[in-house]
Amino acid sequence: MTFATDKKWSRLAAAVTAAAVFAFTAAFSAFSDGYSRTTVGREEYSAALNGAFEWERRRLGTDSLCGGFLSEGTAGESEADWFVIAERAAGIEDDYAAYAEAAAKKLDKRLETPSDFYLTEIARTTVALGLCGYPQPDLSVLDLSSAGDNEVIWVIIAQRMGGYDISAAQSELISRQTENGGFGLGSEDADITAMALMALSLLYILRFRTRG
């Protein structure tokens, strides 16, 4: 079964995917020699995205990424979730309902013993479920006291997408802000700080849910 993406979910998926892309590219750029700013146009972005889709389809041996992930039993895992999130952002039809059903079962298992997993894993799959049109669980039950800043950030993003209360998670994240105004993993980090600002901003995901 397939269903087309509507404008609201397509824009929402694009926001989440952009956050992930910026996170990865920022990390790589930080270690590159002779780094300089470049502007990536829509055509270049689309070509890179479609190239990644084609590469993964060849690896899976199927035209359906969702079907391929279901066949290999990886629905709800990192690679599968990110590809499905990106597919949604690109407006590609796929069997999102079946993928979400399988990923939800894996997420339920993680939520039974959340301390055994990074909260980014739980939040990532929760985000994927929401973009697939599947009911998201309320993550307010998670203990954030020992979580890293990036884990708290992604819990906030997932909670906002699901329409759940984010006050406790926001307070936890804000309490970690350094004297210089940054956030990070042990030390201030530009990437983590940017992600924190997006998670805390009222103009972020809530904007995409209420307009369009």
Side-chain angles (χ1 to χ4, degrees):
M1 180 176 67
T2 62
F3 60 87
T5 58
D6 56 33
K7 184 180 295 184
K8 179 185 76 173
W9 283 114
S10 180
R11 292 169 65 189
L12 179 55
V16 176
T17 304
V21 170
F22 293 151
F24 286 127
T25 55
F28 292 142
S29 297
F31 293 98
S32 63
D33 294 327
Y35 170 69
S36 61
R37 291 181 181 273
T38 58
T39 300
V40 178
R42 182 183 180 88
E43 291 184 1
E44 294 172 293
Y45 181 86
S46 296
L49 194 61
N50 289 328
F53 289 147
E54 285 304 313
W55 177 85
E56 188 70 354
R57 291 185 186 111
R58 288 195 299 271
R59 186 189 73 79
L60 294 169
T62 176
D63 289 335
S64 168
L65 292 182
C66 287
F69 295 135
L70 289 170
S71 295
E72 68 176 12
T74 56
E77 299 296 334
S78 180
E79 181 174 331
D81 280 347
W82 284 122
F83 267 106
V84 168
I85 289 171
E87 267 202 313
R88 266 310 237 168
I92 297 172
E93 291 191 6
D94 209 333
D95 197 351
Y96 297 111
Y99 180 89
E101 186 175 350
K105 293 178 181 177
K106 194 162 294 184
L107 178 60
D108 287 343
K109 288 291 185 181
R110 291 183 188 139
L111 289 173
E112 291 177 3
T113 55
S115 61
D116 292 341
F117 303 91
Y118 287 114
L119 300 188
T120 45
E121 294 183 72
I122 292 173
R124 181 201 66 237
T125 301
T126 300
V127 167
L129 292 183
L131 294 176
C132 288
Y134 195 91
Q136 295 179 222
D138 184 355
L139 303 184
S140 62
V141 298
L142 298 175
D143 179 11
L144 304 179
S145 60
S146 60
D149 287 5
N150 60 326
E151 294 178 277
V152 179
I153 287 166
W154 279 99
V155 167
I156 292 174
I157 292 173
Q159 287 292 89
R160 276 186 161 170
M161 286 185 61
Y164 295 113
D165 179 60
I166 59 173
S167 57
Q170 278 188 322
S171 296
E172 177 65 34
L173 183 59
I174 291 171
S175 72
R176 299 169 179 218
Q177 190 171 26
T178 69
E179 292 183 358
N180 293 326
F183 298 86
L185 301 174
S187 61
E188 293 174 351
D189 178 88
D191 177 28
I192 299 297
T193 299
M195 292 170 63
L197 292 176
M198 287 192 291
L200 294 171
S201 174
L202 292 177
L203 296 178
Y204 190 44
I205 291 203
L206 288 179
R207 175 182 176 185
F208 287 89
R209 287 190 59 86
T210 57
R211 299 182 183 179

